[in-house]
Amino acid sequence: MRQFDDAHNFFDLTGANVEDAGEHNRAVILRCIHRHAPISRAEIARQTGFTKPAIARIVDRLLDEGLVMEARRRHGLRGQPAIELEINPDACFSIGVNIDRDHLTILAVDAVGNVRGRVHHEKRFILPDEFVELTADAISHFQRSKLVDDARIAGIGLAVPDWLGEIPVLGRPDEYAQWTTFDVRKAIEAITDHPIFIDNEANAAAMAELDYGLGAESRSFFYIAINACPGGGLVLDGVGHRGAMGLSGEIGWLPIADPNDPKGAKVQPLGEIFSLFFLYDHLAKHGIEVSKPQDLLALDGRGRKLVSSWLKQMSVHLAEAVIHIGLIVDPDAVIVGGRLPVRMTDELLRYVNEHLQTSDPNLPSIHRASLSEDAAALGGAAMPTAAALMLGSADPQQRIRSPLQIMDRLHAI
């Protein structure tokens, strides 16, 4: 067994045939190029421990397949300038879809995470039939506009909240319960021949951060998504951790002391007090109508003060969550992202850090996510890309998983 420089132990090859060993070595080199590009053949040899002839043979194959490309020559060193390798952006394409209670975002993404096309619908409580229609239209648009090469599409990745139609969020119409019995995988399979990958939206956003964002600096982190409902995703040693029932990271169920109970005896889930919808409701109670994240950026002085007061109140609960995460999981960092505007996320984290300074100094550091509000859709696209490039973040369960529902959990017990 070889050990890669990010502390991943790849699968044991004991008893493997020559073809399996070859695929393993090919995957190791692809992962090395993906993470460290631009990188020379000599550097790949140092990173992986493979012989130079073996690397030359595998790299030549990857070049012939169009998965990698020779990017440039590095000058300034002794001898011949080293030829550096990178993943070919056109090696494959993926389509990432993020459906939530307040929007639908669909991205066309290349092999290195560049967004080639974007379709966004800022609309609350989109029903299943409309979701399928809008998704089909977006995929067709990407193909007609030549934003992606249909022959090189690795798959469609869906980032979907668990319990989409079950949780009684503010303003949810009765018909939104259609999502609880809707087979989203089957519906998307009916409009495309490409493989379908599905994961929880916070898990997807965490994996996007791993592959395209702060994952270059931290390989173990907890991702907190501030969306219509809060979500969380856990990455350990560069691999998404789902838990036995796929519930790892469900921070919305974290019990929090009710701030309106002076005795502190009453508790409630974090998801019942902390989300974008609760921020909108807070503003509505003070006569300010806000329905989407962009509206928050247009608030006047009074509106901004109301937002700041809400962020200060929520920072107490978020700091408590960070303490629990640090004590139980002990990750390198806690990363906060989602659809809350960047300026307000930074303000929230400033308040959170003020609470944490008086706590254990060994707690994980807390950072704003480097990716934008489209992180979940980008994470959706990252699923088929990871499978096509045999990256460490690839998860076979995404080919069979559907968003969790109450009956699914009961059957699993």
Side-chain angles (χ1 to χ4, degrees):
M1 185 186 299
R2 296 188 183 275
Q3 188 166 8
F4 206 48
D5 67 329
D6 62 357
H8 273 98
N9 286 326
F10 292 98
F11 52 83
D12 190 349
L13 293 179
T14 302
N17 58 39
V18 174
E19 290 78 12
D20 290 338
E23 284 302 297
H24 167 80
N25 294 345
R26 180 172 178 267
V28 170
I29 289 179
L30 261 177
R31 295 173 190 181
C32 185
I33 296 172
H34 179 267
R35 184 175 178 197
H36 298 284
I39 185 171
S40 69
R41 290 169 174 81
E43 289 169 331
I44 295 174
R46 287 193 291 271
Q47 294 280 357
T48 63
F50 295 156
T51 64
K52 291 183 179 179
I55 290 172
R57 183 170 60 254
I58 295 172
V59 167
D60 285 347
R61 177 184 169 191
L62 296 175
L63 288 167
D64 289 342
E65 294 173 352
L67 293 179
V68 303
M69 57 188 293
E70 293 180 337
R72 61 180 69 84
R73 288 183 179 271
R74 185 187 304 169
H75 295 274
L77 302 176
R78 293 182 180 180
Q80 285 290 103
I83 298 175
E84 296 184 320
L85 301 167
E86 294 180 347
I87 298 295
N88 180 3
D90 295 329
C92 65
F93 299 90
S94 299
I95 294 174
V97 182
N98 174 217
I99 176 67
D100 200 351
R101 300 161 181 91
D102 61 349
H103 75 281
L104 169 63
T105 303
I106 307 160
L107 303 179
V109 180
D110 66 24
V112 295
N114 297 319
V115 176
R116 300 289 187 94
R118 180 180 189 266
V119 174
H120 179 77
H121 300 278
E122 190 72 32
K123 182 179 179 180
R124 290 196 181 188
F125 302 114
I126 295 174
L127 297 178
D129 288 347
E130 185 179 8
F131 158 74
V132 174
E133 181 181 353
L134 293 174
T135 300
D137 288 345
I139 295 172
S140 177
H141 164 67
F142 295 150
Q143 294 168 331
R144 292 194 315 271
S145 304
K146 306 298 182 183
L147 297 174
V148 296
D149 180 351
D150 191 67
R152 287 182 172 265
I153 292 180
I156 315 294
L158 275 67
V160 188
D162 293 327
W163 307 287
L164 185 60
E166 296 178 25
I167 296 177
V169 298
L170 291 172
R172 186 195 69 174
D174 292 340
E175 60 267 27
Y176 203 64
Q178 293 175 25
W179 280 101
T180 62
T181 57
F182 180 65
D183 190 337
V184 64
R185 181 180 295 279
K186 183 178 180 180
I188 299 301
E189 286 176 342
I191 63 174
T192 179
D193 294 329
H194 298 296
I196 308 300
F197 299 72
I198 299 178
D199 208 336
N200 169 271
E201 67 166 350
N203 287 336
M207 299 313 293
E209 196 69 40
L210 175 68
D211 287 343
Y212 306 122
L214 294 179
E217 303 173 14
S218 175
R219 306 295 286 174
S220 293
F221 58 85
F222 193 100
Y223 185 98
I224 297 176
I226 305 174
N227 293 322
C229 290
L234 178 59
V235 174
L236 296 176
D237 294 330
V239 178
H241 181 76
R242 304 296 188 268
M245 295 180 63
L247 297 176
S248 176
E250 290 288 356
I251 195 171
W253 299 105
L254 183 72
I256 296 294
D258 186 345
N260 297 318
D261 181 4
K263 296 183 179 180
K266 182 180 179 181
V267 297
Q268 58 191 141
L270 180 64
E272 292 185 2
I273 57 175
F274 178 58
S275 73
L276 282 179
F277 278 5
F278 283 107
L279 173 55
Y280 301 157
D281 184 62
H282 173 73
L283 293 170
K285 289 176 179 176
H286 291 83
I288 299 176
E289 294 299 323
V290 168
S291 62
K292 55 185 181 294
Q294 292 83 354
D295 293 343
L296 296 170
L297 298 174
L299 293 173
D300 59 14
R302 176 173 172 267
R304 291 195 297 271
K305 287 182 179 179
L306 287 169
V307 170
S308 292
S309 68
W310 187 84
L311 293 175
K312 286 181 179 178
Q313 181 181 355
M314 293 301 109
S315 69
V316 177
H317 308 312
L318 194 58
E320 182 180 348
V322 171
I323 291 172
H324 290 314
I325 292 166
L327 293 174
I328 296 171
V329 182
D330 192 26
D332 298 332
V334 172
I335 298 175
V336 180
R339 303 191 74 218
L340 183 69
V342 168
R343 185 177 70 203
M344 295 172 184
T345 302
D346 286 340
E347 182 179 356
L348 173 63
L349 297 189
R350 188 169 69 250
Y351 301 145
V352 171
N353 277 313
E354 290 175 358
H355 296 296
L356 295 178
Q357 285 174 0
T358 59
S359 301
D360 186 348
N362 296 316
L363 287 173
S365 56
I366 184 167
H367 308 273
R368 171 170 49 84
S370 64
L371 301 180
S372 69
E373 62 174 327
D374 289 346
L378 185 59
M383 298 180 215
T385 298
L389 299 181
M390 297 182 289
L391 304 180
S393 56
D395 182 0
Q397 289 297 311
Q398 293 165 348
R399 293 295 309 275
I400 59 175
R401 185 181 187 272
S402 290
L404 293 176
Q405 299 171 343
I406 289 176
M407 294 309 298
D408 295 330
R409 298 197 303 281
L410 292 177
H411 292 157
I413 296 175

